[in-house]
Structure formats: C-alpha cells, structure tokens
Amino acid sequence: MSPCRVFLVDDHALFRAGVKAELANLGDERIEVVGEAGSVNEAIVRIGADPPDVVLLDVHMPDGGGRAVLDQLHPTLPGVVFLALSVSDAAEDVINVIRGGARGYVTKTISGRELADAIVRVAAGDAVFSPRLAGFVLDAFSDKPSAASVSDPELDLLSPREREVLRLLARGYTYKEIAAELFISVKTVETHASSVLRKTQMSNRHALSRWATERRLV
Amino acid sequence: MSSSEILRTPDGMVALVRPLDGRVLAGVAAGVATHLRLPVGVVRVAFVVLSLMAGAGVVAYALLWIFVPQVQSDGPVAGAGTGAVAGAAGAALPRAAAPAERRQAIGIATLGVAILIAALALGLGRYMGVLVAPLAVVAIGGAFIWREADETRRERWRRTAAGFARPGRAALWRIVGGITLVIGGLAVFAVGQLDFAAARSALIAVLLTLVGVAVITVPWLARLVRDLGAERRERIRQRERAEVAAHLHDSVLQTLALIQRQSADPREVQRLARSQERELRAWLYGPAGYASEARAADGAGAAGGWTEAWTEAWVAAWVGGESDGWPGGESTDGLPGNDGGTPRTTSYSAGSQTPSQPCPQTLAAALAQVSGEVEDAYAITIEPVVVGDAPMTPHLAALVAAAREAMVNAAKHAGVQEVSVYGEVESGAASVFVRDRGSGFDPAAVSPDRRGLAESIRGRMQRHGGTAQVRSSPGSGTEIVLSVPVSADTVSADAAD
C-alpha cells in the first residue's frame, strides 16, 4: 500500500515545520508529507494542481480560514479528505469546518502519534472525533424540548447507539475501546461515527447552526 | 519651482512666498498657486476677475506684493541683471516664467482689460462692484473661523478643500452647476432689485441661490461628517488595541518571562504554558471573555450574581474535601500502585482556595475551574468536555469536589500526562467521568479503610444521594464514574427556548 500523501495548510510556518518534523520523526511509512501552503489562495492553487490524499487544514487563517479552502476545493475534489487542525476549540469554528466538509477535527496539542493515526483513519474514509468535538455534537443534537426544529428525523436525530458511541468518544475512548465496551466490532463503531459526522454535516436542524453561533465554549 | 529649500508651514503646506522663478510680474500669482496647490492660470484668472469688481483684485495683488516675502530660489542666477523691469507684464529676472506661460498671463490680463473697457462702454461700470461687499464679508468670516479652529480641524478642512479644488468628473459638474445657479440667483436678485419687481422674483432668486449653495456644499459637509465618524471608529479601535496589548502584557508576556527563567524544568514549563493557555482561552472564548458579546453587560453584574448560599456550599465542600480527603502520606493513600506521584505542592492546599477566585455558577464552569487547578498543581493536561449544563447546587458542588479528588488521584498515581474528564447533565442526572490510561489498580484490593476513595469520593457522593463507580484493572487505566440526581427544572435549557 502506497503511503498516504499529506498536505499541510497553516499560516504559521513554524507550526508547519513542527508538524512535518514530528511526522517525519515517527518514521511512519504510512504517511508522506507532499506539500504545504501558508495561505488560503496558495492552498487552493497547490492542492488543485496536485491533489493529495489528506489535507491537514488550519481553521484560523486570513482570507476566510479553513472554511474558505473547503468551500473552494471540497465540491471539485471529492477524493481529497480534509482533517481540521486548530487551537481554537470554539464551538462555532468546530461545527463550521465539519459542516464545510472536513472529516474530522483535532486540536493542535495532539501528539504526533495520535495525529498520524488520525490521518490514516480519515484517509481510510472514517471520521475522527476529538473528545471535544464529540461533546459539541452531543450538545448540538441534545434531546432538549425543541421538537419543532426537527424536520427530518433521519438527519436531525441521533440513534441511541450513535449517542452511546459519541458519549464514549467524549469520555476519551478510542474506537477499539468503544468496540470492547459495547461488544461490537471496530468497523461498526466506525460506521456509527461516520453516520454522526454525516448528520452533523447535512442536518438542517435549526438548533445546530444557532447553537454553534450562540455558544462560545472554552 | 525649485524642489529644494521649500519653506513649509507647520502643517506641511508650502509656505506662501513670492518665488523668483516662474513669475511674470511680482510672483504673487505663482506663490499663491504653489501655496494652494492650484494651477497658476486659475489664480491669475481669479485675480483678473476680482480686478473687474471695482478693482478688488488689483488691491489684493498689491497687498500680497507688499506683505508676502520674496524668496531667492537656488535656480540659476546667471541671468540676473540682464533684463531690468521689462514692460508691465514681464520681469526678466532669473528663470522667469516660460515664454508660453508669460504669453498666457499677458493674455489673461489683456482679456480682463478688454472686458473692463467693454463693460464701461456699455455703461455697466457701476454694477461691477456689486459682488465685492458679499465676497469681503465671506472672506472675513472665513478668516475668523480659520483662526478659531484647532489644528486637526484645519488639517481636515485642508484635505477636503484639496478634493474640492481638484474635483473628479462628477464633482466638477456639480460645482459648475452649483456656481451657475448661484450666479443666476444673484443675477435675478440684482435684476429684480433694479426693476423693483414683485417679491416673487426675489423669492426665486433666494431659492436658486440656496439650491446652488446646497449643491456645492452638501457633499463637502457630508464628507466632514463622515470623517468625524471615521475618526470616532479609529478611536474605538485604538482603545480595543490598547486593551488587548495590556492583557497580553499582563498575562502572556509575564508567563513567557517565567518560562524562560524556568526553562531547565520541563514540568514547570508545561504547567506555566498550560495555565496560560487556559487563561487566554477563557479570555478569548469564555462566556465573559474578550470576544463575547455579553462582556460589557456581564462585567459589573457577575460578581454580585452568585447567591450567598451557593458560595457557602462551595466553601463547605472544599473545606470538607480537605479535611476528610487525602491525608497526603504515601502509606495512607487510597490507591495503591506507583508512589512516583508528584509530592503535594504548596499551591494545593486549603489555603489556595482563596476567595479571590470567583465561584463558578454552572457545572461546566466549576469543572473547568477544578480541572485547571489540578492541572496547575500536578503539571498534567486535563481537557474537560461538558455536555449540557446546570446551575450549581450543593449536590453538584459535591459532585465537582469528588471529581476533583478523582482527578488528583489520576494525576498522582496513574503516571500519565493526560486525564480525560467528561461531564454531562441529562435525563435527571449529572454525571462526571474521570478517566486515565495509566497504571490502573484492582479495586477489590483496596482496603475499605483507605479514606481517599472511600470518603472523598464514595462517601461524599452517597451523602448527596449519588453514586460512585470505579472501573479499573492493573495496566488498563482507571475510570471513575460519578453521578448525582438533578431536578429537571434546574437543568438549563440550552436548546429549549
């Protein structure tokens, strides 16, 4: 299997260098950093010219940030997977990039090993939930008495199993630990996570967007 | 004009002087043109037009000639003295005006004289001074205003006046139209006065004049108002910047200085960085933080918003936690296992729960606060994730205090750098999960008299009608699950409204 081709987008050159060094030091042959960009426009041009497998996308950049890159590239390059990487943790940013098409969200404090695992996982088509993202999604889909805003139960509600998986993700469990906890296969956990991600991206649930803009969590 | 040795007024305008080069008669027109940044031809026409009005232009020229100092430019002086005063219109001194320019000047003057003769021939001589009085009044009034204005206002006027004097295409048409209306209005006024016609013509005259003045001045005034708005915005922005700078100075810069001094101690560096990060996050994204819209409203009311009862409950929970909590000696620790935990630091003691730290109002805030304290005390990373929220009650205070003990246990005994904390308020219960991937232990092997786990966590939860579960086995980490019931109406309805 050829290595996963990774492209870095971050306006801080120091951070790009740090991630590159960290990924290189792991000696992980599953991952190869093939390029980097320091601005939204540069990213759009370079990724469009030579699409990588996974784009590590900074959320906060001048000229629209990660969302601008996603809006430009995601519709035209469905084969490229975006993994958002940020220091922000503000709910609206997190939900915003996920709804823009990112397959996962991790914070910049993540260790190199975990980052590599997350890259491989999104490259394989899975979703990557940090505990915080899982918490945000749970909160956004909470069963508060707001039934009027549920227009499409298929998209606007989480199944009990999905809720359970999300709760364990928020508690810091890995997919493997969740599988063991719930007596299901890792594949099933991945399916649930992807389904939650799809709902987060597609749901027109009124509460979701409003929740994300109103809530400013640390 | 020579570019060097240019005298300037304090605010950067070219000073009003009579230059030697570029002049035709005495250099007055050239000097005025340079001062006002206008084409010299315009100034000459203005002088001629003024001269037609009972000779006002001639008087003005003469006065300026007398009072405005002459300046010696550094142009070639070789030609000096070759031509003395040569005729009325030209003075061949160093680098006088170019022939074409001089011809133009003479042309303008000749035209003026021709108009004067024609007007006199037509018997209009006595009307030619009609504009002098109003113009003089306007000029004197303007001079007064100018003297009274302060520097910044003058500067702004000058900027707008420059745009006024060098207008764009649209502005040019506007000014031409306005001037036509003013002149037309004045003409009607003059004619009406002469003919002693009915008041109607006077009314029309005034109306036309007003419309003309409005067309000329309204955009200009509008720009003045806009400038004022821009200035106010800039002032607000500067205040914001100052606030950010002050905050960064007090927090980030101080921490960076500390980190540099402690650079030999990685744990201390991590602790400082982590605590600074938390503080900055709270400031940036927190409910009362820099970016929050409610900041201004919250600022004053926050301190008084907490109830006395809750504050007491909080303090009681802490004091209780310290008295019946972990004694601190390794032998009596509730959890067996590695003894490599951090020794108790001075900051982790009853005394550190100073009243200066505000009591958090909700479960999420309280969990964030205790996580921060444990992070600070033990130099580990704790990321609390909270779903749903509820206002604090004594039961929840006990829950938070027990969760804190669980975090401290994990920090001291698990031997890991990271502890996961997840809190949720759902379906009538508030739960907190404290999890680490550390060394773990066998819960059955803990003797029942170990007070930390038994008292600080289990006992406290039971006293408040809750439960505490410990899930752990050697080598696979520990998870402590704490839960207390909450009445449904106290749960803050996040998405309910």
Side-chain angles (χ1 to χ4, degrees):
Chain A
M1 186 181 137
S2 61
C4 173
R5 302 171 72 244
V6 177
F7 191 95
L8 304 177
V9 181
D10 195 303
D11 55 331
H12 296 101
L14 204 61
F15 183 77
R16 292 200 305 271
V19 170
K20 251 166 85 171
E22 203 163 1
L23 290 178
N25 286 343
L26 286 174
D28 197 330
E29 72 278 0
R30 297 175 300 171
I31 287 169
E32 181 196 1
V33 177
V34 294
E36 54 183 282
S39 72
V40 170
N41 290 331
E42 197 185 346
I44 289 167
V45 171
R46 293 204 173 173
I47 295 171
D50 179 20
D53 296 323
V54 174
V55 176
L56 283 184
L57 187 62
D58 186 22
V59 174
H60 287 276
M61 283 185 291
D63 304 323
R67 183 64 198 249
V69 178
L70 278 166
D71 287 347
Q72 283 280 322
L73 292 176
H74 190 56
T76 53
L77 297 171
V80 179
V81 179
F82 291 86
L83 177 61
L85 195 60
S86 168
V87 291
S88 150
D89 276 359
E92 55 184 301
D93 298 330
V94 180
I95 296 294
N96 201 12
V97 287
I98 293 298
R99 285 177 77 86
R103 293 288 297 168
Y105 185 100
V106 292
T107 48
K108 283 184 175 176
T109 47
I110 192 173
S111 74
R113 169 59 57 194
E114 285 175 302
L115 181 60
D117 290 343
I119 290 170
V120 171
R121 191 169 314 136
V122 291
D126 292 327
V128 169
F129 283 86
S130 66
R132 193 167 294 274
L133 173 55
F136 286 156
V137 174
L138 264 180
D139 219 351
F141 279 99
S142 68
D143 272 338
K144 298 286 161 49
S146 55
S149 65
V150 178
S151 56
D152 182 359
E154 186 63 27
L155 277 178
D156 294 347
L157 293 176
L158 300 179
S159 75
R161 203 53 153 177
E162 286 165 354
R163 197 173 289 278
E164 231 166 335
V165 169
L166 264 188
R167 284 180 65 201
L168 289 170
L169 281 169
R171 278 158 67 177
Y173 281 61
T174 63
Y175 283 11
K176 225 167 105 186
E177 289 164 342
I178 293 171
E181 176 80 19
L182 299 179
F183 305 110
I184 54 180
S185 72
V186 174
K187 200 71 224 156
T188 313
V189 176
E190 285 166 355
T191 310
H192 285 311
S194 294
S195 163
V196 171
L197 187 82
R198 191 178 62 90
K199 289 180 180 179
T200 310
Q201 285 172 343
M202 310 289 287
S203 173
N204 287 322
R205 193 172 158 135
H206 166 64
L208 194 65
S209 48
R210 202 197 50 168
W211 172 88
T213 47
E214 277 181 359
R215 183 112 185 193
R216 299 191 72 103
L217 289 179
V218 184
Chain B
M1 298 294 131
S2 158
S3 61
S4 64
E5 217 188 305
I6 288 176
L7 294 174
R8 288 187 184 275
T9 56
D11 36 42
M13 298 280 288
V14 178
L16 182 56
V17 293
R18 287 186 293 120
L20 277 180
D21 43 4
R23 71 185 196 172
V24 172
L25 184 59
V28 169
V32 170
T34 311
H35 180 60
L36 298 179
R37 288 182 239 160
L38 289 173
V40 68
V42 172
V43 178
R44 290 197 173 112
V45 170
F47 272 123
V48 169
V49 170
L50 283 172
S51 300
L52 288 176
M53 299 173 187
V58 176
V59 175
Y61 195 98
L63 286 174
L64 285 169
W65 193 344
I66 293 166
F67 288 112
V68 172
Q70 190 173 60
V71 74
Q72 175 74 50
S73 81
D74 62 347
V77 202
T82 50
V85 182
L93 273 173
R95 276 260 311 250
E101 199 185 327
R102 190 179 327 166
R103 272 200 299 277
Q104 184 205 40
I106 295 171
I108 291 169
T110 315
L111 199 62
V113 171
I115 292 172
L116 182 66
I117 291 170
L120 289 176
L122 291 169
L124 293 173
R126 65 196 167 104
Y127 306 129
M128 285 170 56
V130 84
L131 279 177
V132 172
L135 276 180
V137 169
V138 167
I140 291 168
F144 267 119
I145 294 173
W146 189 259
R147 274 208 69 80
E148 290 304 309
D150 59 25
E151 248 338 290
T152 57
R153 208 170 299 167
R154 278 186 211 174
E155 178 52 40
R156 202 159 54 230
W157 285 343
R158 224 175 259 126
R159 273 207 313 274
T160 54
F164 189 67
R166 237 179 254 119
R169 210 183 159 74
L172 187 73
W173 284 114
R174 202 177 63 229
I175 289 169
V176 167
I179 287 174
T180 312
L181 284 171
V182 170
I183 290 174
L186 289 173
V188 173
F189 176 64
V191 171
Q193 217 179 25
L194 289 173
D195 292 347
F196 300 104
R200 207 176 61 172
S201 68
L203 205 64
I204 293 170
V206 169
L207 210 68
L208 282 176
T209 311
L210 282 180
V211 169
V213 169
V215 167
I216 297 174
T217 56
V218 162
W220 189 53
L221 287 172
R223 196 175 327 159
L224 278 185
V225 171
R226 254 203 322 275
D227 283 359
L228 272 179
E231 196 178 280
R232 196 173 309 128
R233 270 198 301 281
E234 181 58 30
R235 217 170 32 238
I236 291 169
R237 214 171 291 137
Q238 266 167 10
R239 209 165 47 215
E240 288 275 287
R241 266 201 291 272
E243 194 188 331
V244 172
H247 182 90
L248 291 183
H249 177 264
D250 290 348
S251 58
V252 179
L253 284 183
Q254 306 293 344
T255 306
L256 286 177
L258 277 174
I259 284 178
Q260 283 170 44
R261 230 178 317 158
Q262 311 266 353
S263 57
D265 182 355
R267 282 180 73 85
E268 184 63 12
V269 167
Q270 201 208 346
R271 195 182 65 75
L272 285 168
R274 191 59 199 158
S275 115
Q276 180 57 59
E277 181 193 342
R278 209 172 46 240
E279 193 264 349
L280 200 57
R281 259 183 212 295
W283 187 67
L284 281 173
Y285 308 118
Y290 173 75
S292 103
E293 284 160 31
R295 179 173 54 135
D298 271 3
W306 292 303
T307 60
E308 286 292 312
W310 154 227
T311 309
E312 273 167 29
W314 177 256
V315 171
W318 278 125
V319 172
E322 286 303 317
S323 62
D324 67 2
W326 303 72
E330 297 292 337
S331 59
T332 52
D333 270 351
L335 300 182
N338 70 332
D339 284 352
T342 318
R344 191 168 286 229
T345 61
T346 47
S347 68
Y348 176 52
S349 66
S352 75
Q353 307 305 325
T354 50
S356 72
Q357 205 158 31
C359 297
Q361 247 179 320
T362 66
L363 178 66
L367 272 179
Q369 183 180 322
V370 294
S371 303
E373 286 165 10
V374 178
E375 269 188 350
D376 272 356
Y378 293 96
I380 58 166
T381 302
I382 301 178
E383 292 262 11
V385 174
V386 181
V387 172
D389 210 348
M392 286 305 279
T393 63
H395 292 326
L396 290 183
L399 176 71
V400 172
R404 187 184 199 274
E405 286 301 322
M407 292 179 216
V408 169
N409 279 350
K412 282 163 76 173
H413 304 292
V416 288
Q417 279 302 300
E418 204 170 337
V419 175
S420 305
V421 173
Y422 170 67
E424 66 177 10
V425 181
E426 231 169 33
S427 54
S431 312
V432 177
F433 302 76
V434 179
R435 180 167 192 272
D436 66 70
R437 289 207 176 81
S439 48
F441 64 97
D442 180 3
V446 182
S447 78
D449 62 336
R450 295 291 164 92
R451 298 187 63 212
L453 193 56
E455 271 307 310
S456 289
I457 297 179
R458 279 214 182 95
R460 184 179 272 143
M461 294 314 294
Q462 277 160 13
R463 279 198 296 282
H464 289 271
T467 57
Q469 277 180 297
V470 179
R471 303 170 33 161
S472 183
S473 60
S476 69
T478 306
E479 183 170 49
I480 296 181
V481 182
L482 308 163
S483 180
V484 288
V486 288
S487 52
D489 57 327
T490 61
V491 176
S492 75
D494 258 333
D497 45 336

